[in-house]
Amino acid sequence: MRHAIRLSIENARSGRGGPFAAIVVKYGHVIAEGTNRVTATNDPTAHAEIVAIREACEKLCTFQLEHCDIYSTCEPCPMCMGAIYWARPARVFFAATAEDAARVGFDDAFILEQLRLPVAERAISLTQLLREEAQEAFQIWEHKPDKIEY
């Protein structure tokens, strides 16, 4: 965790992104590290955890982080938690809380509130289109004998 905290401090000082960092560890070895790169790359998904997960998966040539731990300098936001669940690490450790992040301007409470609302009541309009046409891809996938399940 101290390694991740050092990265977050360096990132905050450098101005390359927000005050967040994460590392992925497998069997006691750092496999990947990531810092918040949102403003540096104009990518709203470039949170530290996402950057670290992407790097770890690339290095390990897999899309699941079995036997890996993620150390994040802050409690993961809803987007990062989704990515973490998809990556399936063994454990996640975090330092600062979501409340600590909110105190300095990184408040994801609005997102959590929105996700609890029915789709029709959310601030960003979600409109379903062409559901029946979209089923073809699912049918192909369902019957594909050589698919890689995840």
Side-chain angles (χ1 to χ4, degrees), residues 135-150:
Q135 297 306 306
E136 184 177 351
F138 290 137
Q139 291 168 359
I140 292 167
W141 180 257
E142 183 178 27
H143 301 291
K144 187 173 176 51
D146 60 343
K147 65 185 168 202
I148 299 173
E149 306 236 6
Y150 59 98

Side-chain angles (χ1 to χ4, degrees), residues 9-108:
I9 292 168
E10 178 183 313
N11 206 54
R13 283 189 177 137
S14 74
R16 292 188 305 257
F20 304 97
I23 60 172
V24 177
V25 175
K26 186 170 187 174
Y27 301 129
H29 300 284
V30 175
I31 301 300
E33 52 186 50
T35 56
N36 180 284
R37 309 291 297 149
V38 171
T39 57
T41 61
N42 293 318
D43 178 355
T45 69
H47 288 201
E49 295 92 336
I50 303 287
V51 172
I53 288 169
R54 287 175 179 162
E55 182 179 311
C57 288
E58 185 175 336
K59 283 185 179 177
L60 296 173
C61 298
T62 182
F63 55 88
Q64 294 185 343
L65 298 177
E66 291 184 74
H67 309 293
C68 291
D69 295 325
I70 296 175
Y71 291 81
S72 176
T73 59
C74 189
E75 184 177 355
C77 75
M79 176 184 67
C80 291
M81 279 308 305
I84 287 166
Y85 275 103
W86 279 112
R88 295 179 177 90
R91 300 176 297 186
V92 176
F93 300 93
F94 67 93
T97 66
E99 291 79 17
D100 296 330
R103 188 177 45 76
V104 297
F106 297 93
D107 191 354
D108 55 24

